[in-house]
Amino acid sequence: MSKKKNKKKNIAPKKKKKNLKSLIAWLSVLLVIVLIVGISYIVYYNTSLQTTDFANTNWKSVTAYNDSNKKVSINKIYNNYYDNYQGSMELKGDGTFTFWMNVGDPNDGTHNGSYTYDRDRQILNATFGNGEKAKFKIVRNEDNTIDHIEAPYDGYTVWFYKN
């Protein structure tokens, strides 16, 4: 009789080990799932935040730099004597934009087109209605908000700030 009792005692710890191994395996799988969901949420949140912080916004040109990286007056770029003149840019949420850089009637100098966002390089790849292409650089602050957007224009780099 004592032999039978010993056999039963030996069997019981093996079941506990199997249950423990099974529990560890399930917890590992659950932990991996939680990590994947968490990382996906963080990536989605950061991606949507960076995309929407410039979509549906209006921008005005405030300053510009020449090819030698020297600051120049906005009125020099536009070839006019209006000290307060500012161009404008509207970035729409549907991936289109309106870009106005000429003095006078907005219908005279308005350019329309579409853009795609290169998140890794912080570039808006712009394609104007006439097929011309340009790269608008997004410059961010330390807190990841946009400081300004740099757009090429007639040999200059024009800095646009949020209106």
Side-chain angles (χ1 to χ4, degrees):
M1 249 180 155
S2 63
K3 289 182 182 178
K4 289 182 182 177
K5 287 183 182 179
N6 285 343
K7 288 182 182 177
K8 287 183 182 177
K9 286 182 182 178
N10 290 338
I11 295 172
K14 288 181 181 177
K15 284 185 180 179
K16 286 183 181 179
K17 286 183 182 178
K18 284 184 181 180
N19 287 341
L20 184 59
K21 286 181 183 178
S22 177
L23 179 63
I24 290 172
W26 279 107
L27 287 175
S28 298
V29 169
L30 183 63
L31 180 62
V32 168
I33 291 171
V34 168
L35 285 173
I36 290 172
V37 169
I39 290 170
S40 298
Y41 175 77
I42 290 169
V43 168
Y44 171 78
Y45 177 76
N46 285 337
T47 300
S48 63
L49 174 67
Q50 285 189 355
T51 301
T52 58
D53 63 349
F54 60 78
N56 298 315
T57 55
N58 290 306
W59 302 81
K60 63 181 178 179
S61 60
V62 175
T63 191
Y65 292 85
N66 63 16
D67 290 338
S68 302
N69 208 27
K70 290 184 180 180
K71 191 173 183 178
V72 296
S73 172
I74 289 290
N75 61 352
K76 179 177 181 177
I77 293 172
Y78 302 124
N79 234 358
N80 67 60
Y81 298 103
Y82 303 118
D83 288 336
N84 294 326
Y85 175 75
Q86 293 175 328
S88 65
M89 177 171 51
E90 179 185 7
L91 298 170
K92 300 173 186 163
D94 63 358
T96 61
F97 69 89
T98 303
F99 191 76
W100 183 52
M101 295 294 284
N102 291 348
V103 177
D105 184 352
N107 294 324
D108 293 339
T110 300
H111 305 281
N112 296 307
S114 61
Y115 67 87
T116 58
Y117 179 41
D118 182 340
R119 188 170 289 101
D120 295 334
R121 294 180 22 212
Q122 290 297 300
I123 298 286
L124 296 176
N125 293 304
T127 303
F128 290 88
N130 64 2
E132 185 179 333
K133 296 184 183 295
K135 294 185 182 298
F136 300 163
K137 180 181 177 186
I138 297 175
V139 178
R140 293 186 178 272
N141 295 312
E142 288 181 15
D143 64 356
N144 207 30
T145 58
I146 296 177
D147 182 65
H148 65 276
I149 297 176
E150 298 176 4
Y153 180 75
D154 200 24
Y156 297 94
T157 302
V158 181
W159 289 22
F160 286 84
Y161 289 87
K162 205 171 198 176
N163 234 356

